[in-house]
Structure formats: C-alpha cells, structure tokens
Amino acid sequence: MFYLLLTASILFIISFSSGHFWSLISSFQSTCTDPQLQRHLNIQRWCSTYKRDMNITNWDLRPSYFMIVDDRHKVIYCMIPKVACTTFQKLMARSLTNDTINLTRIHFVGFINSLGMRFLDKYSKKDRELRLQTYFKFTVVRHPFDRLLSAYADKFANPGRNMMSVAHLQKRAEMRFGNFTRFDEKGKPLLSLNQFLELVSRDREFHDKHWQSYHDLCQPCAMNYDHVIRLETIDNDIGPVLEHLNYTRPETGDKQENSRRNVSNKLVEVNYHFRRLNPGIMNGLLQIYARDFQLFGYSWSYAAGAGCVNRTGNGMCC
Ligand SMILES: *[C@@H]1O[C@H](CO)[C@@H](O)[C@H](O)[C@H]1NC(C)=O
Ligand SMILES: *[C@@H]1O[C@H](CO)[C@@H](O)[C@H](O)[C@H]1NC(C)=O
Ligand SMILES: *[C@@H]1O[C@H](CO)[C@@H](O)[C@H](O)[C@H]1NC(C)=O
Ligand SMILES: *[C@@H]1O[C@H](CO)[C@@H](O)[C@H](O)[C@H]1NC(C)=O
Ligand SMILES: *[C@@H]1O[C@H](CO)[C@@H](O)[C@H](O)[C@H]1NC(C)=O
Ligand SMILES: *[C@@H]1O[C@H](CO)[C@@H](O)[C@H](O)[C@H]1NC(C)=O
Ligand SMILES: *[C@@H]1O[C@H](CO)[C@@H](O)[C@H](O)[C@H]1NC(C)=O
C-alpha cells in the first residue's frame, strides 16, 4: 500500500513538474478534435499509462450503488455526489414517466426501483457485463476543487437539514484542532474552509462520498464511459444524454439552475480560496485528486479546467 502511494505521488510529481501530462493534453488539442473524443482519448491514455506503471493486470469493476441503470433506454449513469447528481437522477426519472411525476422521494431506492431503475451492483455478474458492453454509459464531473468548495458550503457553511450527518466529521475535526465549540449559538457547525481542506488532505478518517475521488466512485478505467459531461459546459455536453434517454421535452427546473452557474465567477472563487492555501495542504489535495485532474483534463487553476469547448464554432477543438 505504501509503495503504491509512493509511486502514485512520484508519478504525480513527475507528470506535474515536467508538464508531461499536460503536454499530452495539448498535443490532443493541437489537431482538430471533437471535445468529447478528446476526453475519451485522454481517459484511455491515462488508464493505460497508469495500468502499466502500477502493474495492474486488469481493471476490475467494483459495481456500486453510484451506478444507476435504466434498462428501458439502455443507459448507465454513474452519479457523483455534489456534481448535479440529483438533477440527473430526476432527469432519468422524468424520461421514464413524464414531467408531472412527484420527485420528492428521488433519493429513495424503492422509488427509483418503482420507476424501473436499478443499481448496477444488484445485477448478476453476467447481466452486469452484458449491460456494460451494450449500454450507453455516462458520468458528470466538475472541477475537483470547485466540488470541494461546494461540499464545504453544503456540509458546514450552510448545512441546513444535513446538520446531523456531520457529527462524525466534527469528531475528527475536534481530534485535530482540539476543543473548540462545535456549533455556534444558532446551531451551525463551526469549521473554517481552511480547516476543512486540511482535514480532507490529511485525515483519512475524515471521509465522505461528497469528496471521494471521481476515480474511486466511478472507476473510469473499468467503465470506459461513452460520454463525459463537464458541469462547466453542460449545455454543450448534455445533448447525447438527452438523446439516449429519448427525452425531447424542454428542460425544466433543475436545468435552469445549472445554466445559471457562471463559470467565470467560479474561476474567481476557486483561485481566491486555493491560491492562498498552505502549500502542504495544497500538495495533499493535489495528490488526493491527481487522478481526477488528470483523467478529466482539469488543471488546478480553473482557467485551464474549462477546457476547449467548440473553440472554432464548428464543434471542434483545435
Ligand atoms: C512494477 O513491476 C516492476 C517490475 O517487476 C517493478 O520494478 C515496479 O516496482 C513495480 N511497480 C509497482 C508500482 O509495483
Ligand atoms: C404521468 O406519469 C404518472 C406516473 O407514471 C401517471 O400516473 C400519469 O397518468 C402520467 N400523466 C400523464 C399526463 O401522462
Ligand atoms: C409529493 O409527495 C410527497 C410525499 O411523498 C408529498 O408530501 C407531497 O405533497 C407531494 N407533492 C405533490 C405536489 O403532490
Ligand atoms: C471544552 O471546552 C468547554 C468550554 O470551553 C468545556 O466546558 C469542556 O469541558 C471542554 N471539553 C473538554 C473535553 O475539554
Ligand atoms: C421515444 O419517445 C417517443 C415519444 O416521445 C416514443 O414514441 C418512442 O417510442 C420512444 N422511443 C423509445 C426507444 O423509447
Ligand atoms: C459571469 O460573471 C462575470 C463576473 O461577475 C460577469 O462579467 C459575466 O457577465 C457573467 N456571465 C453571465 C453569463 O452571467
Ligand atoms: C458551436 O458553435 C456554433 C456557433 O456558435 C454553433 O452553431 C454550434 O451549434 C456549436 N456546436 C456545438 C457542438 O456546440
């Protein structure tokens, strides 16, 4: 395990310090390619390099309850918490019924099953493999640090009804930072963003699906996704998913929320918070999320993360 980690960090340091990895990406960009194809090639390339360097013989899939299957439309979606996953679950639900459906219980397994969706880990190995080979598989990602900001906001800065679920995390916080008041007088948990990031980067027990890496949650090397949506460019990217879901009705509700996301504001926010971060914490975070940055072509500075979208106006990236 230690060696694995060590190698991972070395690989990581090499690829970042020499700019090797990023030059790979830009070499893809130097010829005109479809952004989706570029993403696909990038993931394949990353997986084969990583497989070789880590002596991995096979990418065995660990099917999970993050992978949701729609047998009617032959679609598999890997949900990443804090990356529009409720929006996409709802979209899938609507595509199986109609827009009048009451989606209050969208997070309940029974409700999801009642609509004809199941989780991949509930199928036999044989049925799973059949689906993995023939279905349209997609996932949705966003800049990993933007996701961390969002997770912090939800869990700590503005937890609302989720307050109980942070108890375990607060305990870890107390162990690291000593005896401080857990909640302010209004019952809001007190943990600064820097403390949160320090815990994420240094404490393995401070673990939660809302900041678990994309690589672990959705296993892109084993899944070989047909389509990857970036939240930053969702309007450009969502088309094929709607097609496969046979969803032709105009977008409602949640979609509008996503369009309101302003990428340049996000850029400012991520840079503002992460540039001033203690270098030790920053290194820790970069190591934890190195695979996600590399797999999905993000750079820690948000600007590059937005990537090339339809730069030429003809749908190509040059
Ligand atoms: C992979 O195998 C080679 C040759 O057996 C070895 O030198 C190297 O340390 C291994 N790497 C890892 C990450 O185990
Ligand atoms: C919409 O779907 C629900 C649940 O499947 C069904 O009860 C209802 O009749 C449908 N409404 C329309 C207008 O099709
Ligand atoms: C939706 O369902 C929930 C309970 O499942 C219920 O409380 C709520 O009133 C329903 N909303 C509508 C608009 O029917
Ligand atoms: C933590 O501090 C509060 C007051 O600041 C005190 O009442 C409490 O006993 C302390 N707890 C521990 C475990 O030291
Ligand atoms: C797609 O939706 C249309 C109506 O909206 C329906 O007629 C058609 O059968 C659907 N196709 C599939 C494959 O579900
Ligand atoms: C996004 O925010 C920037 C800076 O606040 C602003 O200049 C720009 O007009 C906004 N774009 C949209 C589409 O709202
Ligand atoms: C690319 O941009 C052009 C012009 O703005 C637009 O007409 C076209 O639909 C876009 N293509 C894609 C794939 O987004």
Side-chain angles (χ1 to χ4, degrees):
M1 189 58 194
F2 174 72
Y3 284 112
L4 203 74
L5 282 174
L6 188 69
T7 323
S9 352
I10 291 170
L11 271 179
F12 169 77
I13 290 161
I14 293 170
S15 55
F16 268 79
S17 55
S18 68
H20 174 65
F21 183 80
W22 303 116
S23 67
L24 278 184
I25 293 181
S26 43
S27 74
F28 285 131
Q29 287 181 346
S30 66
T31 49
C32 271
T33 46
D34 168 352
Q36 208 46 244
L37 176 65
Q38 190 187 324
R39 258 169 243 179
H40 197 79
L41 289 174
N42 185 50
I43 292 171
Q44 280 189 335
R45 187 110 183 209
W46 188 92
C47 293
S48 62
T49 306
Y50 194 78
K51 190 173 172 188
R52 191 194 63 216
D53 293 348
M54 303 303 253
N55 301 331
I56 294 167
T57 46
N58 255 317
W59 292 110
D60 292 319
L61 182 73
R62 286 165 285 113
S64 76
Y65 60 89
F66 293 103
M67 297 160 187
I68 193 166
V69 181
D70 167 355
D71 278 321
R72 163 131 54 108
H73 298 116
K74 300 193 186 328
V75 169
I76 301 176
Y77 162 47
C78 186
M79 303 184 282
I80 296 178
K82 298 270 18 109
V83 192
C85 79
T86 304
T87 302
F88 277 87
Q89 258 182 295
K90 287 181 176 174
L91 177 66
M92 289 177 79
R94 285 197 206 100
S95 78
L96 286 164
T97 56
N98 56 51
D99 289 342
T100 64
I101 185 163
N102 182 344
L103 293 170
T104 316
R105 300 181 66 242
I106 191 68
H107 292 299
F108 290 79
V109 177
F111 178 74
I112 287 172
N113 292 159
S114 77
L115 299 175
M117 290 187 280
R118 287 170 78 191
F119 294 97
L120 192 62
D121 59 348
K122 294 289 178 274
Y123 291 86
S124 71
K125 193 165 192 291
K126 187 165 151 277
D127 287 345
R128 217 156 53 217
E129 275 162 9
L130 178 73
R131 281 163 179 76
L132 286 170
Q133 280 161 20
T134 55
Y135 284 15
F136 176 78
K137 305 181 296 287
F138 80 99
T139 189
V140 189
V141 297
R142 78 198 282 185
H143 190 285
F145 286 173
D146 183 25
R147 175 166 174 252
L148 281 179
L149 291 183
S150 169
Y152 171 73
D154 266 19
K155 285 268 176 192
F156 296 100
N158 190 14
R161 283 174 304 159
N162 287 332
M163 212 150 72
M164 292 312 292
S165 67
V166 302
H168 158 75
L169 302 172
Q170 278 288 336
K171 191 167 279 170
R172 300 303 306 179
E174 281 193 349
M175 285 174 72
R176 174 162 286 263
F177 300 116
N179 183 20
F180 64 83
T181 327
R182 266 192 185 194
F183 302 109
D184 69 10
E185 65 279 5
K186 290 192 185 109
K188 215 175 192 185
L190 290 177
L191 186 72
S192 73
L193 175 64
N194 278 4
Q195 287 174 325
F196 169 74
L197 295 175
E198 180 172 340
L199 282 162
V200 171
S201 73
R202 303 214 167 130
D203 182 356
R204 280 169 184 280
E205 300 284 313
F206 191 78
H207 174 85
D208 190 279
K209 64 182 178 180
H210 295 93
W211 48 90
Q212 196 174 348
S213 82
Y214 302 156
H215 181 270
D216 291 347
L217 287 168
C218 289
Q219 306 164 59
C221 295
M223 282 288 272
N224 191 21
Y225 289 99
D226 299 291
H227 194 77
V228 173
I229 292 180
R230 281 179 173 201
L231 203 54
E232 292 84 4
T233 55
I234 187 166
D235 293 336
N236 281 292
D237 296 347
I238 199 171
V241 170
L242 298 178
E243 252 167 61
H244 279 270
L245 292 175
N246 195 20
Y247 190 89
T248 48
R249 297 184 288 280
E251 297 293 320
T252 51
D254 299 311
K255 180 65 198 320
Q256 283 160 12
E257 208 173 281
N258 283 321
S259 317
R260 261 187 267 119
R261 298 168 45 83
N262 185 325
V263 177
S264 54
N265 284 343
K266 292 279 160 190
L267 182 157
V268 172
E269 212 179 313
V270 169
N271 280 346
Y272 174 80
H273 290 295
F274 286 83
R275 274 201 194 290
R276 309 179 319 163
L277 205 57
N278 163 315
I281 297 176
M282 185 64 172
N283 273 338
L285 293 177
L286 285 173
Q287 286 185 27
I288 290 169
Y289 297 105
R291 296 168 305 175
D292 293 353
F293 276 104
Q294 298 176 346
L295 275 161
F296 299 106
Y298 286 106
S299 133
W300 101 254
S301 68
Y302 200 86
C308 160
V309 190
N310 197 5
R311 196 174 283 157
T312 52
N314 62 1
M316 294 292 160
C317 259
C318 296

